[in-house]
């Protein structure tokens, strides 16, 4: 790692980190405001309402969510989604809120912070990088996060199907509004692409999670590679096996972009020097510990050094 290009990259990384740390409060508020605004704009776009009251409501919710904990962003997205559904059919509102209650009972009651994943799922689709979601979930969350991702994808496609039945509802009488829920359910059951994409997401997130929490060298970056490739292979293989027409070339590009973004995020989060690994053994009254210590890489002046070890515990043997 002792080359000028590496040192230059590490110095740039360090300068960016110092700048972010110096202005952490202001940048944090700005980041939350932009992320929330993009999310609510994406929800408006999903339901085909991008002007007038919906955009005002999106802006107001974005400002409110900037000043409160991120886990409440999911509640704000529910409010905005409910508003859109109420403009279409109240049967859809009841159906959606029932699904939200199910997601709470299955995931968020035990892991409230995972609600952020469900809330921001539409934004990944809106930005055309949906495969970045399972990679980030596998890297920084757990099995509850994967469950939250599943609900996020289902809620996104729910919005897609609702948009498709709006024209049908516009010509229906009041007594025929129940057809909205029926059409949405029929769309779920017949849309093989949705189920295939959901399966690819689950496989990608699970493999990323498994690899990311291993102790072998470069496990973090191999996790990104394993998650991205497995997700694409499942999507491509499933499309061929079940004869599903899909834009595979487009997904190849989005998966490659997603893998690159995930690797860059990990690079700025933490990089470690595998050439200076140490193995430490110690004991207490009950256990004997085998510890793998991997130093983090930092830059100083024209060179780089290692500091602040990252400790990975090995399997423990009981005395």
């Amino acid at each position: 790692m002792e080359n000028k290009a590496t040192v230059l990259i590490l110095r740039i990384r360090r300068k960016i980190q110092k700048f972010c740390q110096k202005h952490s409060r202001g940048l944090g508020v700005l980041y939350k405001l932009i992320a929330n605004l993009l999310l609510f704009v994406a929800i408006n776009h999903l339901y085909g309402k991008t002007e007038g009251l919906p955009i005002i409501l999106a802006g107001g919710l974005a400002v409110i969510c900037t000043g409160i904990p991120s886990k409440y962003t999911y509640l704000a997205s529910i409010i905005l989604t409910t508003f859109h559904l109420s403009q279409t059919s109240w049967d859809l509102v009841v159906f959606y809120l029932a699904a939200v209650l199910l997601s709470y009972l299955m995931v968020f009651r035990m892991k409230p912070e995972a609600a952020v994943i469900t809330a921001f799922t539409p934004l990944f689709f809106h930005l055309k990088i949906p495969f970045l979601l399972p990679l980030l979930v596998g890297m920084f969350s757990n099995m509850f996060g994967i469950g939250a991702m599943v609900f996020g994808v289902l809620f996104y496609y729910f919005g897609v199907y609702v948009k498709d039945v709006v024209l049908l509802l516009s010509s229906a009488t009041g007594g025929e509004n129940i057809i909205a829920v029926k059409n949405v359910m029929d769309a779920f059951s017949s849309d093989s692409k949705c189920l295939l994409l959901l399966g690819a997401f689950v496989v990608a997130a699970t493999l990323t999670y498994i690899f990311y929490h291993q102790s072998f060298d470069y496990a973090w970056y191999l996790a990104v590679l394993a998650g991205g490739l497995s997700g694409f292979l499942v999507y491509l293989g499933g499309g061929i096996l079940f004869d599903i027409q899909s834009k595979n070339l487009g997904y190849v590009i989005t998966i490659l972009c997603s893998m690159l973004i995930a690797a860059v995020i990990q690079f700025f989060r933490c990089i470690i020097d595998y050439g200076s690994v140490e193995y430490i053994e110690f004991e207490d009254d009950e256990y004997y510990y085998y510890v793998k210590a991997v130093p983090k890489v930092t830059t100083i002046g024209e060179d780089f050094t290692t500091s602040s070890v990252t400790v990975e515990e090995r399997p423990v043997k009981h005395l």
Side-chain angles (χ1 to χ4, degrees):
M1 296 180 64
E2 298 181 0
N3 59 74
K4 294 182 178 180
T6 301
V7 173
L8 178 61
I9 293 173
L10 293 175
R11 290 178 63 192
I12 294 174
R13 171 182 177 269
R14 184 58 179 167
K15 288 181 179 179
I16 294 174
Q17 286 181 326
K18 284 184 176 180
F19 177 81
C20 293
Q21 291 171 358
K22 182 178 180 180
H23 304 281
S24 59
R25 179 169 296 183
L27 289 176
V29 172
L30 181 62
Y31 160 77
K32 286 187 67 175
L33 177 61
I34 294 175
N36 290 326
L37 184 58
L38 288 176
L39 168 63
F40 298 132
V41 168
I43 293 176
N44 284 344
H45 186 270
L46 176 62
Y47 289 95
K49 305 289 181 62
T50 57
E51 297 179 355
L53 183 58
I55 195 64
I56 295 175
L57 184 58
L61 289 174
V63 172
I64 293 173
C65 290
T66 301
I68 60 178
S70 298
K71 63 182 180 180
Y72 294 110
T73 303
Y74 181 44
L75 178 60
S77 69
I78 293 174
I79 294 173
L80 185 58
T81 301
T82 302
F83 167 78
H84 285 295
L85 294 177
S86 67
Q87 306 299 305
T88 305
S89 170
W90 284 101
D91 298 311
L92 290 174
V93 172
V94 174
F95 180 82
Y96 171 71
L97 293 179
V100 168
L101 177 61
L102 180 63
S103 70
Y104 169 77
L105 295 176
M106 294 184 64
V107 179
F108 309 130
R109 181 170 58 90
M110 295 169 284
K111 199 72 172 179
E113 56 271 25
V116 176
I117 298 172
T118 302
F120 278 91
T121 298
L123 181 58
F124 288 89
F125 283 92
H126 183 69
L127 297 177
K128 309 300 182 184
I129 47 173
F131 268 94
L132 179 60
L133 177 61
L135 296 181
L136 294 181
V137 169
M139 291 167 62
F140 305 124
S141 189
N142 50 30
M143 292 305 168
F144 286 107
I146 295 177
M149 178 189 68
V150 170
F151 275 107
V153 173
L154 292 177
F155 287 148
Y156 170 78
Y157 274 95
F158 173 77
V160 172
Y161 303 144
V162 168
K163 190 176 179 180
D164 291 339
V165 301
V166 167
L167 292 177
L168 180 62
L169 289 175
S170 63
S171 61
T173 62
E176 296 173 322
N177 279 343
I178 192 63
I179 199 174
V181 174
K182 181 180 183 301
N183 274 271
V184 168
M185 294 302 296
D186 289 343
F188 266 118
S189 61
S190 62
D191 191 352
S192 301
K193 291 182 183 180
C194 169
L195 299 178
L196 181 58
L197 187 65
L198 189 60
F201 272 31
V202 171
V203 171
T206 302
L207 285 182
T208 301
Y209 175 83
I210 293 173
F211 274 79
Y212 194 83
H213 291 85
Q214 301 303 308
S215 60
F216 54 78
D217 293 357
Y218 304 103
W220 293 339
Y221 297 100
L222 289 176
V224 174
L225 181 63
L229 290 180
S230 63
F232 173 69
L233 290 176
V234 170
Y235 189 79
L236 176 64
I240 296 174
L241 182 62
F242 298 105
D243 193 25
I244 300 174
Q245 300 296 323
S246 58
K247 298 178 181 179
N248 291 325
L249 181 59
Y251 273 107
V252 169
I253 297 174
T254 62
I255 290 173
L256 291 176
C257 291
S258 298
M259 293 168 63
L260 178 61
I261 294 172
V264 170
I265 291 173
Q266 179 57 53
F267 174 79
F268 278 97
R269 180 176 181 267
C270 180
I271 53 174
I272 53 182
D273 182 11
Y274 288 104
S276 304
V277 175
E278 296 182 9
Y279 293 93
I280 305 170
E281 301 177 22
F282 60 93
E283 62 180 302
D284 59 19
D285 293 337
E286 296 184 354
Y287 293 94
Y288 196 87
Y289 299 90
Y290 298 90
V291 177
K292 177 181 178 181
V294 189
K296 297 180 181 179
V297 176
T298 59
T299 58
I300 299 178
E302 296 296 325
D303 202 351
F304 73 91
T305 60
T306 59
S307 64
S308 305
V309 296
T310 296
V311 176
E312 301 179 11
E313 292 193 9
R314 309 291 291 181
V316 176
K317 180 171 66 178
H318 193 278
L319 291 177

